[in-house]
Amino acid sequence: MTSSNSATFTILTTSDIHGFRCPPDRSPSLCDWKRMCALTSLILDKKRQHGSSLLWIDNGDLYQGSPISDYFMKQIRDRKTGTHPMTQWLAAAGCDAFVPGNHEFNFGRGAIQLVSAGAPCPWLSANIVVRETLEPFFGKPYRIWTSKAGIRVAVLGLTTAYIPHWELPGHIEGLAFLPAVEAARKWVPYLREKQGADIVIVSYHGGLESDPATGESTEPCTVENEGCRLCTEVNGIDVLLTGHQHRRIEGQAINGTAIVQPSVYGSYLGEAQLMLARSDDGRWTVQGAYTRLIPVTAADDSEAPEWLKPHMEELNQWMDRPLGHMATNMLIANAHEARISKHPFIQWLNEVQMNAAGTSVALTALMDNHAPGFGSMVTMRDIAANYPYPNTLTVLKLNGHQVKLALEETAKYFALDDKGQIIVHPAYLSPKPQPFHYDMWEGIEYTLDISRPPGERVTRLLFDGAPLTTDQVLEVAMNHYRASGSGGYAMMLEAPIARQYSVEITDLMAEALLSKDVWHVELHVNWHVTGGSISR
């Protein structure tokens, strides 16, 4: 809406789509193309309504998280060529700019360069820089659009600077990740003063480190999430598009900056609308702003777009290839129970890691609350449903003290409710579920008593039938994400690295299945969670 001296401008945002991942029982390929089609239609309708007074920014973590996203990233990485279906989706829906998230780096620098080079829109990130020159890795980190009314709208991209804590060094070689606030302090004034921007939008693949209503800190002070600091310490940001935390945030502002975060998997479209007035000197200024989330409702009769069908056919052929058979029931009926009482699927996965790494101890998590386990016949589809991350294997040399610290950290995942039932501690449910931070170990014996205070819950810890001493050193296999200390496991950072492997754990799982005609898993219970009852 525009008059001679007043106008509105609309910004749409998507974030953390993760290849349109959905629970495995809802889509034959784990790519919810019905939601993809619904979201595309919604965006295109908005674009037709608003014309040049609307921009759509995707805020990252688009190219990882589902079989269709991961498979084609690996194909592009290995073949050093190809077009990714998520890139085609950005083109089909008319994306104006893309901000890379942390998971875009999971497949290495070469893959991300190939994908970004073929993008239909600019990739923007001011704080991901080439180490030697400190120049933005993806080129100019902003773009400016001018509406028919003459409103100059600048969009600046930023990405969580915590990537080096998670990512394999080889995937980010030669890059530096500056704090988002530091980069914004440089670029926002430049956009205002040198580029004459009337509106400055910051699209930040990162979240909020404090409660937007009270300002109280909600997590440790790191550079993972700097959204609140961006609003309070950098002047001149009209709208902050956020992500990374998978939260639903609408209708809120921090220090006069409107904020929005559109959840995960394409389930919501974020919208920010600005009301502007033109002053006597011809410049436009923001008079008001509001943000909202629009649910994405997929129609049952929608069909996959023509450009997607060849990708789906190739993917399904790969995913449906039989890998092996299980003689034991490995299905997971209840993820919560599988974390409290040992499940054969977890034992099998740890044994795969131990066999691959040549260790007698390993740890893993049940990565997803929708993880189904294995039926009698196992395919790549089953592996993808249970292990959605492209992690690789690392072996650390942990002493007994560090093992105990790690188990105490794991035990924090649980709490007791007022009925004495073991529940997931709320800190692992908000701002987003974090089931991947609860580890289960093979090769040691231990008991976690949840009725005891945190830090005092490990009541039994044995190795080879004897108490594990504080200075006794074990080689422990785990994924590289845990070995990086992520999730509060700082003790891992103090342990020497014995070995690292470049093969992804999902590939190790596939190789293990192919190595035997039938897998017989005899469950042996080496750990217990006590101190409360299990809610049914």
Side-chain angles (χ1 to χ4, degrees):
M1 184 180 79
T2 306
S3 67
S4 58
N5 292 311
S6 64
T8 60
F9 198 93
T10 301
I11 302 96
L12 303 178
T13 181
T14 47
S15 192
D16 299 274
I17 284 177
H18 289 287
F20 289 93
R21 181 180 169 219
C22 67
D25 60 346
R26 290 183 51 193
S27 169
S29 68
L30 302 184
C31 168
D32 193 345
W33 50 262
K34 292 184 178 181
R35 194 183 308 133
M36 177 193 289
C37 293
L39 182 53
T40 302
S41 297
L42 185 55
I43 291 169
L44 291 175
D45 285 346
K46 288 281 185 181
K47 280 181 165 283
R48 282 190 288 267
Q49 292 171 22
H50 295 273
S52 68
S53 294
L54 179 144
L55 293 173
W56 165 40
I57 315 298
D58 187 89
N59 197 43
D61 277 8
L62 174 66
Y63 288 89
Q64 178 278 333
S66 76
I68 198 166
S69 59
D70 295 9
Y71 172 80
F72 285 102
M73 282 298 284
K74 293 175 184 177
Q75 294 304 306
I76 290 170
R77 177 194 65 194
D78 298 341
R79 297 171 182 172
K80 296 182 172 51
T81 187
T83 300
H84 198 285
M86 293 301 106
T87 298
Q88 291 182 279
W89 175 69
L90 292 176
C95 189
D96 294 293
F98 177 79
V99 176
N102 51 294
H103 281 292
E104 263 68 59
F105 288 88
N106 288 168
F107 304 93
R109 178 171 168 169
I112 203 172
Q113 285 179 293
L114 287 167
V115 171
S116 61
C121 58
W123 282 40
L124 310 178
S125 186
N127 63 317
I128 300 177
V129 299
V130 179
R131 185 177 298 279
E132 289 186 359
T133 65
L134 297 184
E135 292 297 317
F137 175 59
F138 296 103
K140 187 168 68 173
Y142 68 90
R143 291 295 187 276
I144 294 180
W145 289 264
T146 303
S147 74
K148 288 182 179 179
I151 304 168
R152 287 178 62 79
V153 183
V155 175
L156 177 70
L158 297 168
T159 305
T160 175
Y162 214 63
I163 289 173
H165 293 263
W166 302 311
E167 201 52 72
L168 290 170
H171 286 180
I172 55 174
E173 186 177 1
L175 301 181
F177 297 81
L178 307 178
V181 170
E182 176 185 325
R185 285 190 181 126
K186 170 185 175 181
W187 289 101
V188 171
Y190 171 81
L191 294 172
R192 290 282 187 189
E193 298 163 11
K194 302 297 184 182
Q195 294 295 326
D198 298 307
I199 300 172
V200 174
I201 311 299
V202 170
S203 185
Y204 169 49
H205 188 87
L208 306 181
E209 72 279 26
S210 302
D211 186 313
T214 66
E216 288 187 28
S217 176
T218 54
E219 60 183 55
C221 184
T222 69
V223 292
E224 179 177 0
N225 297 303
E226 302 177 74
C228 292
R229 290 186 61 210
L230 284 168
C231 296
T232 57
E233 298 182 20
V234 182
N235 293 324
I237 302 173
D238 294 301
V239 179
L240 180 68
L241 313 177
T242 69
H244 184 58
Q245 293 173 317
H246 299 185
R247 299 170 68 179
R248 295 192 299 269
I249 300 176
E250 61 181 332
Q252 297 194 54
I254 300 174
N255 195 35
T257 298
I259 58 173
V260 61
Q261 187 173 142
S263 192
V264 67
Y265 307 146
S267 53
Y268 289 86
L269 177 65
E271 181 181 83
Q273 190 165 101
L274 302 177
M275 285 66 73
L276 300 100
R278 181 157 48 190
S279 58
D280 294 338
D281 63 2
R283 295 296 300 272
W284 291 92
T285 58
V286 176
Q287 303 297 300
Y290 76 88
T291 61
R292 66 169 180 149
L293 298 180
I294 304 170
V296 177
T297 304
D300 291 337
D301 59 352
S302 59
E303 293 186 6
E306 289 300 318
W307 56 262
L308 182 61
K309 289 178 181 178
H311 295 296
M312 297 282 282
E313 182 178 351
E314 179 181 347
L315 175 69
N316 283 326
Q317 287 179 355
W318 176 74
M319 292 187 70
D320 288 333
R321 181 170 62 106
L323 298 174
H325 290 79
M326 292 288 171
T328 308
N329 180 6
M330 305 274 277
L331 294 172
I332 298 172
N334 184 299
H336 183 61
E337 292 180 9
R339 296 187 180 100
I340 293 176
S341 301
K342 188 177 180 185
H343 193 281
F345 173 77
I346 296 298
Q347 178 177 310
W348 178 84
L349 179 50
N350 268 325
E351 289 175 350
V352 167
Q353 294 185 139
M354 290 188 296
N355 290 337
T359 68
S360 58
V361 182
L363 62 89
T364 191
L366 183 59
M367 297 295 176
D368 193 298
N369 288 328
H370 297 288
F374 286 163
S376 59
M377 195 268 284
V378 185
T379 66
M380 281 303 304
R381 189 182 307 280
D382 301 307
I383 290 177
N386 286 283
Y387 207 105
Y389 303 106
N391 293 331
T392 56
L393 199 61
T394 297
V395 177
L396 295 184
K397 293 183 177 182
L398 296 174
N399 61 39
H401 176 65
Q402 292 165 331
V403 171
K404 185 176 185 300
L405 288 176
L407 288 170
E408 291 288 1
E409 187 63 36
T410 273
K412 292 178 183 177
Y413 184 79
F414 293 125
L416 297 180
D417 66 10
D418 54 6
K419 297 179 181 178
Q421 293 182 331
I422 299 173
I423 60 172
V424 178
H425 194 287
Y428 292 87
L429 298 174
S430 178
K432 70 177 180 181
Q434 301 172 63
F436 40 79
H437 287 328
Y438 174 74
D439 293 329
M440 291 161 280
W441 294 58
E442 193 71 26
I444 59 174
E445 299 175 49
Y446 61 94
T447 299
L448 307 179
D449 185 347
I450 308 307
S451 69
R452 297 173 63 85
E456 302 176 13
R457 290 177 168 176
V458 179
T459 59
R460 182 178 64 108
L461 179 54
L462 307 176
F463 175 71
D464 201 18
L468 181 64
T469 62
T470 58
D471 58 353
Q472 190 172 357
V473 176
L474 304 178
E475 287 195 347
V476 184
M478 66 192 75
N479 67 57
H480 78 271
Y481 175 83
R482 179 64 73 241
S484 74
S486 297
Y489 291 82
M491 74 294 300
M492 302 299 187
L493 291 172
E494 301 171 359
I497 297 174
R499 295 179 295 284
Q500 288 181 300
Y501 299 85
S502 59
V503 180
E504 292 174 12
I505 291 173
T506 51
D507 291 333
L508 295 176
M509 295 165 71
E511 290 172 7
L513 288 163
L514 288 167
S515 69
K516 296 182 181 182
D517 291 333
V518 180
W519 271 85
H520 296 267
V521 179
E522 183 178 346
L523 184 67
H524 53 87
V525 179
N526 61 303
W527 56 262
H528 300 271
V529 176
T530 65
S533 58
I534 303 175
S535 58
R536 301 287 179 177

